[in-house]
Amino acid sequence: MYRIDLHTHSNMSDGTLSPEELIGAACNAGLAAVALTDHDTAAGLARAAAAADALSPSHPFEFIPGIELSVSYMSRELHLVGLHLDLHSPSFQSALSALQDNRDARNLRMIGIMQDAGIDISMEQLRREQGSGILTRANFARYLMEHGYIQTIQEGFDRYLDVGKPFYVPREYMDPETAITLIHSVSGIAILAHPLLYHFSVPELEQAAGGLKAMGLDGLEAYYSMNSGYDTVHMKKLAQAHGLILSGGSDFHGSNKPHIRLGFGRGNLCIPEDVLQKQKAYLAARHTARIDSCTDTIE
């Protein structure tokens, strides 16, 4: 059985590998397929696709274009992973530009608060050291660590960057229905990422899955690095109960999450290749249903 990984990040957002390095690492890890799902940006997808195309024909490997969008739902920040995207829609790029503008405004506010607290930081310094991609709180934490203000990236979140901490600035979030519609507009499937990280109660998680399904959610990330014990089985049952397809990923960020290995998570993650095949079958059935619907309308 071949492994796949459908949730990863490059240095176009808050990962540390370039898109090309990510593809190389996926191949070296023996994966059959990988999706790049950077936060709010598609900037690395063409580069990753080109790197995958350049691989030897003797090394079968598939690249899946993706993205991760943050939304607000049930008083929480949730993440939706979009997979199998067709990136040529002008409306898609326009929506992503608006999301990046929102992030940039938030980051400038965070920088101002940090400067007032005596931190030597500016947008120019952050860009120079953390790259030109989407800047997230992980980039701020790495900057603080590399400049000696903290010892680890996790300490940065625990002391400064998590909700309620001194440097935290809330974001303006997209609503989930808009995000799902955006993903569908470029032929993708919308997946609720790492459902157990939102600390819903069991009834709340059932409510969230049902509510998001009604908005068009396609699937659930049942396989995830932080799952333990019964978690994956529980997520599979939740997906089945709400008619959702399965997905899975490590949430690899390179050295920003050094305990997470690409394709293997914390060591015991195994996402079977048939998860990807079932996603493709789902997409094909959706495409056929749309054609049939259009034909019925014309007739």
Side-chain angles (χ1 to χ4, degrees):
M1 179 179 66
Y2 290 103
R3 292 174 185 256
I4 61 174
D5 194 336
L6 302 179
H7 186 167
T8 73
H9 298 274
S10 77
N11 62 3
M12 292 294 98
S13 63
D14 54 350
T16 56
L17 298 186
S18 70
E20 294 85 357
E21 289 169 337
L22 178 74
I23 295 300
C27 289
N28 291 337
L31 301 185
V34 71
L36 175 57
T37 56
D38 278 323
H39 294 281
D40 298 340
T41 183
L45 297 182
R47 289 169 54 186
D53 287 344
L55 293 173
S56 167
S58 63
H59 189 136
F61 182 81
E62 185 172 357
F63 172 67
I64 296 96
I67 198 165
E68 186 170 7
L69 302 175
S70 300
V71 302
S72 178
Y73 187 60
M74 293 176 60
S75 302
R76 287 170 170 82
E77 175 186 336
L78 306 186
H79 292 179
L80 299 178
V81 166
L83 297 173
H84 308 281
L85 307 182
D86 177 354
L87 305 175
H88 302 298
S89 165
S91 61
F92 182 68
Q93 295 300 332
S94 176
L96 294 185
S97 295
L99 289 173
Q100 183 162 352
D101 289 344
N102 178 268
R103 275 191 181 270
D104 288 345
R106 179 209 197 190
N107 290 340
L108 287 171
R109 289 176 62 196
M110 290 174 62
I111 287 170
I113 294 170
M114 295 168 76
Q115 289 173 337
D116 291 343
I119 304 293
D120 180 17
I121 187 172
S122 67
M123 181 60 82
E124 291 73 20
Q125 289 171 291
L126 200 61
R127 283 288 181 201
R128 185 167 58 248
E129 297 182 23
Q130 300 296 313
S132 60
I134 293 289
L135 294 175
T136 72
R137 286 180 293 161
N139 297 108
F140 281 88
R142 175 167 287 277
Y143 181 93
L144 291 173
M145 182 182 71
E146 292 176 347
H147 286 260
Y149 295 102
I150 54 174
Q151 296 299 310
T152 67
I153 288 174
Q154 187 58 49
E155 182 187 354
F157 282 88
D158 293 342
R159 290 181 60 187
Y160 298 118
L161 295 165
D162 265 340
V163 177
K165 303 301 180 181
F167 301 155
Y168 178 79
V169 172
R171 286 181 58 195
E172 293 181 17
Y173 292 103
M174 186 182 292
D175 70 85
E177 190 163 11
T178 299
I180 291 168
T181 299
L182 178 61
I183 291 168
H184 287 173
S185 75
V186 285
S187 304
I189 56 173
I191 306 292
L192 178 62
H194 39 65
L196 294 175
L197 293 194
Y198 308 121
H199 304 295
F200 283 124
S201 66
V202 172
E204 286 174 335
L205 188 52
E206 290 281 353
Q207 180 186 347
L212 292 168
K213 169 68 175 181
M215 297 179 196
L217 185 74
D218 301 295
L220 200 69
E221 196 170 64
Y223 301 89
Y224 187 65
S225 290
M226 305 307 289
N227 285 3
S228 61
Y230 185 67
D231 289 346
T232 299
V233 173
H234 178 201
M235 291 302 96
K236 286 182 177 181
K237 289 183 175 180
L238 180 67
Q240 184 178 22
H242 292 277
L244 297 166
I245 61 173
L246 301 180
S247 192
S250 65
D251 205 1
F252 174 77
H253 283 69
S255 60
N256 278 343
K257 288 187 178 180
H259 58 294
I260 300 297
R261 290 173 56 204
L262 183 62
F264 292 82
R266 294 187 298 180
N268 59 353
L269 179 69
C270 183
I271 307 156
E273 192 177 15
D274 72 334
V275 167
L276 178 58
Q277 304 312 319
K278 289 176 181 178
Q279 288 183 4
K280 291 179 180 179
Y282 174 88
L283 279 167
R286 190 172 76 183
H287 180 67
T288 300
R290 285 178 177 169
I291 292 175
D292 290 344
S293 176
C294 290
T295 301
D296 291 343
T297 301
I298 292 170
E299 292 175 350

